[in-house]
Amino acid sequence: MTGIFASDKRGSLIAVGAILIGLLLFSLLTTGDLNLLGTEGFGAYLGTINGGDFSITLLSGLLRGMLLFLVAAGLSIVFGLMDVLNFAQGGYFMIGAYIAYEVHHAPAIIAAVPDGNLRFLLGAMLAVAVGAALGAALERGLLRPLYARPLFQLVITFGVSILLLEATKLLWGVSPRSWSTVFGLNEGAFQLFGQQFSVYRLFVIAVGFGLIVAVALLLQRTRIGIIIRAGVQDSQMVEALGINVRAVFTAVFTLGCAVAALGGAVAAPFLGASLGLSTEFLLGAVAAVVLGGLGSYEGTAVASLLVGITQAVIAKFGVQYLNQPVWESLSPMILLALVLLLRPSGLFGKE
Amino acid sequence: MSENILEVCGIHTYIGQFHILEGVTFSVPKGSITVLLGRNGAGKTTTLKSILGITPPREGKIVFDGQDLAGKPSFKIAQLGIGYVPEHRAIFRDLTVAENLQIAERRKGDLAARQDFIFELFPDLKKHYRLAGGKLSGGQQQMLAIARALVPQNRLLLIDEPSEGLAPIIIEALMHAIRRLSESATVLLVEQNFRMASRLADRYVIVDDGASVQSGLMADLTNDQATIQRYLGAA
């Protein structure tokens, strides 16, 4: 069984470092005026490297990584503890985005709460509440009767993801919503090597980091954290100690869905709300969970960031040099395949 | 004889489609050390798991301290005051010794109250308190598994094959510890090592092919070579 916070980490860190250095070098090389057939010499090429492009690419990667983490964290802990791969996790992210969008743009709510920042906060809180309620309902109502049949659970979560998608279509239609109103945090921008980057995106990165640390502290320092980590190794033994493991399952599952919905809510101001978010973030998050090592929390956190940065770097390269944006969506799976060839148990997973 | 803390009456347990226990009946007197004996695959471990509700019996009755355990989930059964030390130890390898003990608390302060007793029984655990359970030796892991069952005030301890794979000197230490802890709790032991079982237990139950076939005082069994040969194949 894979363990959260495994102790043997040297190999994992070397692998992470190698990928990160590879990505940074690739990013650095492709943010210059790359001319593979050129004859100007490497020195001339280095002079063309654009620090602004480079740093914005990395920040975008970090931002995407944080959003992926918000979906992947629940996926990873729930899988480790309950052996359930929750295919509906992307759906919760999407629902969160729609709720945040709706609260921010509905005329009645604008009239009642004119302050944009406050509306955003309300939207995020409602998204978390709805995510938690739907998560608890899924676990209690549909998954709990099926713990003896893991395959059925997989099918159920897949079915729920379709249900969420269809319900969203029914409520909001099929056309994507783009965030049109501006609010406090979302207005600010700062300069980095001559390029603009929004303060809000930095705020989302900070929220992501905050959650990585908060969940790590929860797992390491609290009784429920000890129970979760023990449950990842042997949930039957935890129950034999007199602990109601099913209640812990429900709590963890609920929290995972709430965090995914929060991810959607904070992503909405720049990604908008669309049906595609569900699959897009689920795939990236599944890649991150497997890449990090199934059931390993720290692996998931690190891999989410790696996948995010990879996507940003490849997106830039794909658009700028190949005119093929499709490479961006393929890149998590390519990275995953390459890593699994070398480390079949993922970056932080154990055999 | 004193009153029984545990009564197991004609239980039948299935794992999937396999009929593992086909009528196990015995009782455990309060304060005793009772050992379940039998060959590999006879159903001893399943009997312990059935008592704890991990593999609940489909037929028969289990009564612990006057309470019928039928239909209770295993965490509720454990909360009644039953500690479980499973075979192969099943400690949480990635958790520290301290965390392995903390998780067993049923009430805040359980560990603080029992810590001195636990460290007196197993001084090694104090020495390695912050070490991951997986880094301990086999004997130390077994000590941790027993210590974990001692954190709450359990009235019955189910201990499965504590001597498995351990050196004789460690087995001696464990026997001493089990004798000490039996002063405050009743012990139901599964043990393949007949020498250890006969020195520790007051009473025995022989399980053969999923059914209990004989039970009584350990002192009587040690003189009954025919039974030992027939059911245990060892003296």
Side-chain angles (χ1 to χ4, degrees):
Chain A
M1 201 72 188
T2 315
I4 292 177
F5 289 101
S7 48
D8 182 20
K9 290 179 193 158
R10 192 188 296 170
S12 314
L13 292 177
I14 291 172
V16 171
I19 295 171
L20 207 54
I21 290 169
L23 282 170
L24 293 180
L25 280 179
F26 185 75
S27 172
L28 203 58
L29 291 177
T30 52
T31 47
D33 183 12
L34 187 62
N35 180 0
L36 294 171
L37 300 172
T39 52
E40 290 176 19
F42 195 60
Y45 162 70
L46 284 181
T48 68
I49 286 176
N50 182 336
D53 264 7
F54 175 68
S55 41
I56 291 297
T57 304
L58 288 189
L59 274 178
S60 304
L62 218 49
L63 175 73
R64 195 171 181 86
M66 289 304 175
L67 293 178
L68 281 176
F69 169 76
L70 297 183
V71 181
L75 209 58
S76 163
I77 298 177
V78 163
F79 181 80
L81 187 64
M82 301 151 70
D83 289 333
V84 175
L85 197 54
N86 178 16
F87 275 120
Q89 193 85 352
Y92 289 88
F93 183 89
M94 174 194 69
I95 294 272
Y98 272 97
I99 289 173
Y101 175 87
E102 193 61 40
V103 170
H104 213 268
H105 293 77
I109 302 178
I110 293 175
V113 187
D115 183 345
N117 280 338
L118 192 59
R119 266 200 328 280
F120 172 71
L121 191 65
L122 283 177
M125 283 163 60
L126 186 65
V128 168
V130 171
L134 288 176
L138 169 58
E139 201 279 336
R140 290 298 296 266
L142 297 174
L143 293 180
R144 190 171 276 204
L146 294 173
Y147 275 112
R149 297 171 177 175
L151 192 63
F152 284 35
Q153 290 182 329
L154 201 70
V155 177
I156 284 275
T157 65
F158 189 64
V160 169
S161 76
I162 295 173
L163 202 70
L164 288 176
L165 207 62
E166 293 303 318
T168 309
K169 271 187 205 169
L170 201 68
L171 285 170
W172 285 284
V174 289
S175 45
R177 310 289 167 103
S178 54
W179 197 278
S180 55
T181 59
V182 178
F183 63 102
L185 256 183
N186 209 13
E187 288 167 47
F190 65 97
Q191 297 269 327
L192 202 64
F193 296 103
Q195 296 263 9
Q196 286 235 330
F197 198 77
S198 104
V199 173
Y200 179 73
R201 292 177 190 222
L202 215 56
F203 163 75
V204 174
I205 293 175
V207 168
F209 263 123
L211 273 166
I212 289 180
V213 173
V215 176
L217 286 176
L218 176 90
L219 289 173
Q220 286 294 306
R221 300 280 167 87
T222 65
R223 177 166 168 82
I224 181 99
I226 294 177
I227 292 172
I228 292 170
R229 281 154 56 218
V232 166
Q233 292 170 57
D234 187 346
S235 60
Q236 194 178 75
M237 189 60 228
V238 174
E239 176 141 7
L241 292 173
I243 294 163
N244 185 353
V245 171
R246 292 287 167 93
V248 177
F249 282 5
T250 308
V252 167
F253 197 90
T254 303
L255 194 67
C257 292
V259 169
L262 174 69
V266 297
F270 52 91
L271 291 181
S274 66
L275 297 170
L277 289 177
S278 172
T279 325
E280 189 186 339
F281 276 83
L282 177 69
L283 283 182
V286 169
V289 169
V290 180
L291 184 65
L294 281 168
S296 160
Y297 170 72
E298 59 185 349
T300 299
V302 171
S304 298
L305 298 184
L306 282 181
V307 169
I309 294 173
T310 305
Q311 279 192 300
V313 169
I314 299 297
K316 172 119 186 68
F317 179 71
V319 173
Q320 190 166 331
Y321 295 99
L322 305 175
N323 206 15
Q324 293 282 345
V326 69
W327 286 102
E328 178 193 351
S329 40
L330 284 180
S331 58
M333 293 303 162
I334 295 173
L335 177 68
L336 180 61
L338 290 177
V339 171
L340 290 189
L341 278 175
L342 299 170
R343 285 177 76 91
S345 52
L347 290 172
F348 286 78
K350 283 192 260 170
E351 291 298 335
Chain B
M1 200 72 210
S2 57
E3 63 175 303
N4 296 325
I5 193 165
L6 183 75
E7 307 260 10
V8 176
C9 307
I11 58 169
H12 285 247
T13 299
Y14 293 73
I15 297 179
Q17 60 191 6
F18 299 105
H19 194 169
I20 307 291
L21 299 187
E22 305 176 18
V24 172
T25 300
F26 65 93
S27 54
V28 176
K30 202 172 261 181
S32 71
I33 300 181
T34 300
V35 63
L36 292 178
L37 296 169
R39 293 192 174 87
N40 266 337
K44 306 181 297 293
T45 294
T46 306
T47 303
L48 293 192
K49 288 185 171 179
S50 296
I51 295 167
L52 207 59
I54 295 172
T55 53
R58 280 195 206 166
E59 283 172 49
K61 192 171 179 180
I62 302 173
V63 178
F64 170 68
D65 212 12
Q67 293 196 59
D68 190 347
L69 303 184
K72 284 192 166 60
S74 69
F75 77 93
K76 285 244 164 89
I77 294 174
Q79 283 172 357
L80 294 175
I82 301 181
Y84 180 43
V85 182
E87 59 178 344
H88 316 307
R89 290 126 210 174
I91 58 152
F92 304 112
R93 302 178 62 83
D94 291 341
L95 268 57
T96 62
V97 169
E99 288 170 337
N100 266 284
L101 297 175
Q102 282 160 12
I103 194 176
E105 281 190 323
R106 294 211 183 106
R107 276 175 218 88
K108 213 169 167 54
D110 273 356
L111 181 57
R114 302 277 281 172
Q115 198 159 286
D116 290 346
F117 175 61
I118 289 171
F119 288 157
E120 188 202 322
L121 276 183
F122 307 118
D124 276 13
L125 298 184
K126 189 174 187 179
K127 206 160 68 187
H128 301 301
Y129 202 53
R130 299 284 162 204
L131 201 65
K135 303 246 186 220
L136 298 176
S137 70
Q140 289 165 339
Q141 289 186 13
Q142 187 64 69
M143 291 170 191
L144 179 57
I146 295 175
R148 191 174 56 184
L150 299 180
V151 171
Q153 275 287 5
N154 285 315
R155 285 173 294 158
L156 174 65
L157 297 172
L158 310 176
I159 306 179
D160 198 350
E161 300 260 12
S163 72
E164 192 190 16
L166 298 181
I169 188 164
I170 309 284
I171 294 178
E172 282 299 323
L174 283 174
M175 280 176 61
H176 168 72
I178 292 172
R179 251 188 231 114
R180 275 289 312 277
L181 59 92
S182 73
E183 291 164 12
S184 56
T186 307
V187 175
L188 177 59
L189 193 69
V190 164
E191 187 51 68
Q192 290 269 10
N193 179 337
F194 182 70
R195 191 179 296 236
M196 174 176 174
S198 61
R199 285 173 57 199
L200 257 183
D202 323 306
R203 302 185 62 84
Y204 73 94
V205 179
I206 294 176
V207 182
D208 193 50
D209 253 348
S212 50
V213 290
Q214 192 171 321
S215 62
L217 292 174
M218 197 70 202
D220 297 338
L221 181 67
T222 43
N223 296 322
D224 185 354
Q225 287 302 317
T227 303
I228 294 173
Q229 280 299 330
R230 183 171 172 199
Y231 292 115
L232 310 176

